[in-house]
Amino acid sequence: MDLARRATADPLLRLLAHGFATTYRRPPGAVWRAPYAFRLAASAVEPGTPLTAATPRTDWVAAANWYVAAAVSPRADGLLRCGSLNHPAESAELPLTGPAARAPGWAARPYAVLRALAAAGFGRGGADLHVNATLPDAVGLPVAEPLECAVALALADAHVARGARPLSRAQLAELLGAAVPGDHGLRRAVLFGRTGQLLAADGSARRPLRSPDGGPAPCLLLLTARTATGGGTEDPGAAAVATGLATAIREALRAGARSACWPGTRPGRSVLLLMPPDRRAAVRTAVIGAFRRCDLPVPRLLRIAVTAAARRED
């Protein structure tokens, strides 16, 4: 049955499949979802624990319980027709071989990925593509890596049904690492993540997300500062936001959070807070109070769970 008509399917995936069918006049041949991924500094996960020979000297990465999705049907003319539910006015028709065309901003990274795959012999026939990201960019979780993986997995999968050779996740990780700039650790989390498991950013080890004192597994809250203007580093409110974040982090730690770190490779307006489950309400209250005292809008607070890797939606 067409995913768009399946009553038990995820509503956002049904919406994506419906958008695909409306745009291209046929149902998608493959739909894949890929989780957002995030980083946890080693010091945040195991504060004060000395490094040993078996301890990774890189950050940990993990897949989150929020996702991006890609719907694809194969073509045979070498063209990529692409659209996004998040950017409905910015669709495009682009060649996968020969000289590259100019892609819309949202599609630049996926287009580069698919051209790299085509050059390696995967999906050269082209595709119709529709994507959706379930979280706004302002939340602060990196979207490039999960979007790249979802698009590449869906494209390769759709062409396999026409007899093309399959693309393994290990091959995909290697191709992306060689062809497209990005965070290789986050890509590993998207492709190889496991529920409740942290993965070393260099791929060398796994470990469960556990409490250092043997108590219940800790929980994660993603704190994202809101601004009135939504501006970047030149925004007049940037200094106030930085002060608000610093104040909120300090109050969160006092309220029982065990650690705070950036979810990506660079500082931004979002911070991951790690805490015992019984301190979540107190931490939320402390964070909201800190922002109000700084005369800033109440921040977004998003619960994050460690989930499994990208998967096909059947």
Short mmCIF file of all heavy atoms in Angstrom, two decimals, residues 159-192:
data_model
loop_
_atom_site.label_atom_id
_atom_site.label_comp_id
_atom_site.label_asym_id
_atom_site.label_seq_id
_atom_site.Cartn_x
_atom_site.Cartn_y
_atom_site.Cartn_z
N HIS A 159 17.20 2.61 -6.76
CA HIS A 159 17.81 2.08 -7.97
C HIS A 159 18.11 0.58 -7.87
O HIS A 159 18.17 -0.10 -8.89
CB HIS A 159 19.08 2.85 -8.31
CG HIS A 159 18.82 4.13 -9.04
ND1 HIS A 159 18.58 4.18 -10.40
CD2 HIS A 159 18.73 5.42 -8.61
CE1 HIS A 159 18.37 5.43 -10.77
NE2 HIS A 159 18.45 6.20 -9.70
N VAL A 160 18.28 0.07 -6.65
CA VAL A 160 18.50 -1.37 -6.48
C VAL A 160 17.32 -2.16 -7.03
O VAL A 160 17.47 -3.24 -7.61
CB VAL A 160 18.75 -1.71 -4.99
CG1 VAL A 160 18.61 -3.20 -4.75
CG2 VAL A 160 20.14 -1.25 -4.57
N ALA A 161 16.11 -1.62 -6.84
CA ALA A 161 14.91 -2.30 -7.35
C ALA A 161 14.94 -2.43 -8.87
O ALA A 161 14.24 -3.26 -9.44
CB ALA A 161 13.66 -1.53 -6.93
N ARG A 162 15.78 -1.62 -9.54
CA ARG A 162 15.92 -1.71 -11.01
C ARG A 162 17.16 -2.50 -11.41
O ARG A 162 17.58 -2.46 -12.56
CB ARG A 162 15.99 -0.31 -11.61
CG ARG A 162 14.68 0.45 -11.56
CD ARG A 162 14.74 1.68 -12.43
NE ARG A 162 13.44 2.31 -12.62
CZ ARG A 162 13.20 3.33 -13.42
NH1 ARG A 162 14.19 3.86 -14.13
NH2 ARG A 162 11.99 3.84 -13.53
N GLY A 163 17.74 -3.19 -10.45
CA GLY A 163 18.88 -4.04 -10.75
C GLY A 163 20.24 -3.44 -10.51
O GLY A 163 21.26 -4.07 -10.82
N ALA A 164 20.31 -2.21 -9.99
CA ALA A 164 21.61 -1.60 -9.70
C ALA A 164 22.27 -2.30 -8.52
O ALA A 164 21.61 -2.93 -7.69
CB ALA A 164 21.43 -0.12 -9.39
N ARG A 165 23.58 -2.17 -8.43
CA ARG A 165 24.29 -2.79 -7.30
C ARG A 165 23.97 -2.04 -6.02
O ARG A 165 23.81 -0.82 -6.02
CB ARG A 165 25.79 -2.82 -7.55
CG ARG A 165 26.46 -1.46 -7.73
CD ARG A 165 27.90 -1.63 -8.18
NE ARG A 165 28.53 -0.36 -8.48
CZ ARG A 165 29.57 0.12 -7.81
NH1 ARG A 165 30.06 -0.52 -6.78
NH2 ARG A 165 30.10 1.28 -8.16
N PRO A 166 23.86 -2.76 -4.91
CA PRO A 166 23.52 -2.12 -3.63
C PRO A 166 24.69 -1.30 -3.09
O PRO A 166 25.85 -1.54 -3.42
CB PRO A 166 23.18 -3.30 -2.72
CG PRO A 166 23.93 -4.46 -3.30
CD PRO A 166 23.96 -4.23 -4.78
N LEU A 167 24.35 -0.36 -2.24
CA LEU A 167 25.34 0.50 -1.57
C LEU A 167 25.27 0.21 -0.08
O LEU A 167 24.24 0.46 0.56
CB LEU A 167 25.04 1.97 -1.84
CG LEU A 167 25.87 3.01 -1.09
CD1 LEU A 167 27.32 2.96 -1.55
CD2 LEU A 167 25.31 4.41 -1.29
N SER A 168 26.34 -0.32 0.50
CA SER A 168 26.35 -0.60 1.93
C SER A 168 26.56 0.69 2.71
O SER A 168 27.06 1.69 2.17
CB SER A 168 27.46 -1.60 2.28
OG SER A 168 28.74 -0.97 2.17
N ARG A 169 26.22 0.66 3.99
CA ARG A 169 26.41 1.85 4.82
C ARG A 169 27.89 2.17 4.99
O ARG A 169 28.27 3.34 5.06
CB ARG A 169 25.73 1.65 6.17
CG ARG A 169 24.24 1.48 6.04
CD ARG A 169 23.52 1.51 7.36
NE ARG A 169 22.10 1.26 7.16
CZ ARG A 169 21.13 1.70 7.93
NH1 ARG A 169 21.43 2.42 9.01
NH2 ARG A 169 19.87 1.42 7.68
N ALA A 170 28.71 1.15 5.06
CA ALA A 170 30.15 1.39 5.17
C ALA A 170 30.67 2.09 3.91
O ALA A 170 31.48 3.02 3.99
CB ALA A 170 30.89 0.08 5.41
N GLN A 171 30.20 1.65 2.75
CA GLN A 171 30.59 2.31 1.50
C GLN A 171 30.11 3.75 1.47
O GLN A 171 30.83 4.65 1.04
CB GLN A 171 30.02 1.54 0.30
CG GLN A 171 30.69 0.23 -0.01
CD GLN A 171 29.97 -0.48 -1.15
OE1 GLN A 171 28.80 -0.84 -1.04
NE2 GLN A 171 30.67 -0.67 -2.26
N LEU A 172 28.87 3.96 1.92
CA LEU A 172 28.33 5.31 1.92
C LEU A 172 29.15 6.22 2.83
O LEU A 172 29.47 7.35 2.44
CB LEU A 172 26.86 5.28 2.38
CG LEU A 172 26.19 6.64 2.56
CD1 LEU A 172 26.26 7.46 1.29
CD2 LEU A 172 24.75 6.47 3.01
N ALA A 173 29.47 5.75 4.01
CA ALA A 173 30.27 6.56 4.93
C ALA A 173 31.62 6.92 4.31
O ALA A 173 32.09 8.06 4.42
CB ALA A 173 30.48 5.80 6.25
N GLU A 174 32.23 5.96 3.63
CA GLU A 174 33.53 6.21 2.99
C GLU A 174 33.40 7.22 1.85
O GLU A 174 34.21 8.14 1.71
CB GLU A 174 34.10 4.89 2.48
CG GLU A 174 35.50 5.02 1.89
CD GLU A 174 36.08 3.68 1.48
OE1 GLU A 174 35.50 2.64 1.83
OE2 GLU A 174 37.13 3.69 0.79
N LEU A 175 32.36 7.06 1.02
CA LEU A 175 32.16 7.98 -0.09
C LEU A 175 31.89 9.40 0.39
O LEU A 175 32.45 10.37 -0.13
CB LEU A 175 30.99 7.50 -0.96
CG LEU A 175 31.28 6.35 -1.91
CD1 LEU A 175 29.98 5.81 -2.50
CD2 LEU A 175 32.21 6.80 -3.03
N LEU A 176 31.02 9.53 1.40
CA LEU A 176 30.72 10.86 1.92
C LEU A 176 31.95 11.50 2.54
O LEU A 176 32.20 12.70 2.37
CB LEU A 176 29.60 10.78 2.95
CG LEU A 176 28.21 10.41 2.42
CD1 LEU A 176 27.21 10.34 3.55
CD2 LEU A 176 27.75 11.41 1.38
N GLY A 177 32.70 10.72 3.28
CA GLY A 177 33.90 11.26 3.92
C GLY A 177 34.92 11.76 2.92
O GLY A 177 35.63 12.74 3.18
N ALA A 178 35.00 11.10 1.76
CA ALA A 178 35.99 11.49 0.75
C ALA A 178 35.50 12.62 -0.14
O ALA A 178 36.31 13.40 -0.66
CB ALA A 178 36.34 10.27 -0.11
N ALA A 179 34.19 12.73 -0.34
CA ALA A 179 33.68 13.64 -1.36
C ALA A 179 33.03 14.91 -0.85
O ALA A 179 33.03 15.93 -1.56
CB ALA A 179 32.66 12.89 -2.24
N VAL A 180 32.48 14.89 0.36
CA VAL A 180 31.67 16.02 0.82
C VAL A 180 32.14 16.45 2.21
O VAL A 180 32.19 15.64 3.13
CB VAL A 180 30.18 15.64 0.87
CG1 VAL A 180 29.33 16.85 1.25
CG2 VAL A 180 29.72 15.07 -0.46
N PRO A 181 32.50 17.73 2.39
CA PRO A 181 32.88 18.19 3.73
C PRO A 181 31.73 17.99 4.71
O PRO A 181 30.56 18.13 4.35
CB PRO A 181 33.18 19.67 3.53
CG PRO A 181 33.41 19.83 2.07
CD PRO A 181 32.56 18.81 1.39
N GLY A 182 32.06 17.66 5.94
CA GLY A 182 31.02 17.45 6.95
C GLY A 182 31.61 16.82 8.19
O GLY A 182 32.82 16.58 8.28
N ASP A 183 30.75 16.53 9.13
CA ASP A 183 31.16 15.93 10.40
C ASP A 183 31.04 14.42 10.28
O ASP A 183 29.94 13.86 10.30
CB ASP A 183 30.26 16.46 11.52
CG ASP A 183 30.72 16.04 12.90
OD1 ASP A 183 31.16 14.88 13.05
OD2 ASP A 183 30.65 16.86 13.83
N HIS A 184 32.19 13.74 10.14
CA HIS A 184 32.18 12.29 9.94
C HIS A 184 31.61 11.57 11.16
O HIS A 184 30.97 10.52 11.02
CB HIS A 184 33.59 11.79 9.65
CG HIS A 184 34.23 12.46 8.46
ND1 HIS A 184 33.52 12.88 7.37
CD2 HIS A 184 35.52 12.79 8.21
CE1 HIS A 184 34.33 13.44 6.48
NE2 HIS A 184 35.55 13.41 6.97
N GLY A 185 31.84 12.10 12.35
CA GLY A 185 31.30 11.48 13.55
C GLY A 185 29.78 11.48 13.54
O GLY A 185 29.15 10.47 13.87
N LEU A 186 29.17 12.61 13.17
CA LEU A 186 27.72 12.67 13.10
C LEU A 186 27.18 11.72 12.04
O LEU A 186 26.14 11.09 12.23
CB LEU A 186 27.26 14.10 12.81
CG LEU A 186 27.54 15.15 13.90
CD1 LEU A 186 26.97 16.50 13.49
CD2 LEU A 186 26.97 14.72 15.25
N ARG A 187 27.87 11.61 10.91
CA ARG A 187 27.43 10.66 9.88
C ARG A 187 27.47 9.23 10.43
O ARG A 187 26.56 8.43 10.15
CB ARG A 187 28.31 10.78 8.64
CG ARG A 187 28.06 12.04 7.83
CD ARG A 187 28.97 12.06 6.61
NE ARG A 187 28.81 13.30 5.86
CZ ARG A 187 29.82 13.98 5.34
NH1 ARG A 187 31.07 13.55 5.49
NH2 ARG A 187 29.60 15.08 4.66
N ARG A 188 28.50 8.90 11.20
CA ARG A 188 28.54 7.55 11.79
C ARG A 188 27.35 7.31 12.70
O ARG A 188 26.77 6.22 12.71
CB ARG A 188 29.85 7.37 12.57
CG ARG A 188 31.10 7.30 11.72
CD ARG A 188 32.33 6.94 12.54
NE ARG A 188 33.52 6.99 11.73
CZ ARG A 188 34.36 8.03 11.69
NH1 ARG A 188 34.11 9.10 12.44
NH2 ARG A 188 35.42 8.01 10.91
N ALA A 189 26.98 8.32 13.48
CA ALA A 189 25.82 8.17 14.36
C ALA A 189 24.55 7.94 13.55
O ALA A 189 23.71 7.11 13.90
CB ALA A 189 25.67 9.40 15.25
N VAL A 190 24.39 8.68 12.44
CA VAL A 190 23.20 8.54 11.59
C VAL A 190 23.15 7.15 10.97
O VAL A 190 22.09 6.53 10.91
CB VAL A 190 23.19 9.61 10.49
CG1 VAL A 190 22.06 9.37 9.51
CG2 VAL A 190 23.07 11.00 11.10
N LEU A 191 24.29 6.64 10.55
CA LEU A 191 24.32 5.37 9.81
C LEU A 191 24.42 4.14 10.71
O LEU A 191 23.93 3.07 10.33
CB LEU A 191 25.51 5.38 8.84
CG LEU A 191 25.44 6.38 7.69
CD1 LEU A 191 26.77 6.43 6.94
CD2 LEU A 191 24.31 6.04 6.74
N PHE A 192 25.04 4.30 11.89
CA PHE A 192 25.34 3.11 12.70
C PHE A 192 24.85 3.23 14.15
O PHE A 192 25.20 2.41 14.99
CB PHE A 192 26.85 2.85 12.71
CG PHE A 192 27.45 2.72 11.33
CD1 PHE A 192 28.29 3.70 10.82
CD2 PHE A 192 27.15 1.63 10.53
CE1 PHE A 192 28.84 3.60 9.55
CE2 PHE A 192 27.69 1.51 9.25
CZ PHE A 192 28.53 2.49 8.76
#
